[in-house]
Amino acid sequence: MRRHVDFQRMIPDHQEFASVLADYPQASIHHICFDIYDAQATLHGRRFSATGSGSVEDPVTGTASGVMGVYYRKFMNPSVSETMITSKDMR
């Protein structure tokens, strides 16, 4: 996502996840935002859980940080040898 204001306003429609993730029912949806508000951040992330996981959102997890780290290393800065990810609750 490009704007942090939109990123914060997202409200997951958890009832729709089953139809969106029909081929991968255990998958989660990860959102990454490039518009940062924290000078120590490179990206901000939110993770919306799979329908059967028992939770709707899990924003401060290794899973969310891992997805952001892989995206950053692969698409944004592939020349770096290490990536440090710090997680904060973004709700």
Side-chain angles (χ1 to χ4, degrees), residues 15-87:
Q15 299 305 313
E16 292 295 319
F17 282 19
S19 63
V20 172
L21 300 171
D23 291 338
Y24 304 97
Q26 300 304 316
S28 301
I29 299 173
H30 298 260
H31 298 278
I32 298 171
C33 183
F34 303 104
D35 182 23
I36 60 170
Y37 72 91
D38 184 331
Q40 296 179 337
T42 303
L43 304 167
H44 295 299
R46 291 179 71 181
R47 174 184 180 265
F48 299 136
S49 306
T51 303
S53 70
S55 68
V56 174
E57 182 173 1
D58 194 2
V60 185
T61 66
T63 302
S65 296
V67 168
M68 288 191 316
V70 169
Y71 187 90
Y72 177 79
R73 291 283 299 275
K74 184 168 178 120
F75 298 108
M76 297 180 69
N77 199 354
S79 63
V80 298
S81 60
E82 291 185 14
T83 302
M84 174 84 143
I85 301 291
T86 302
S87 296

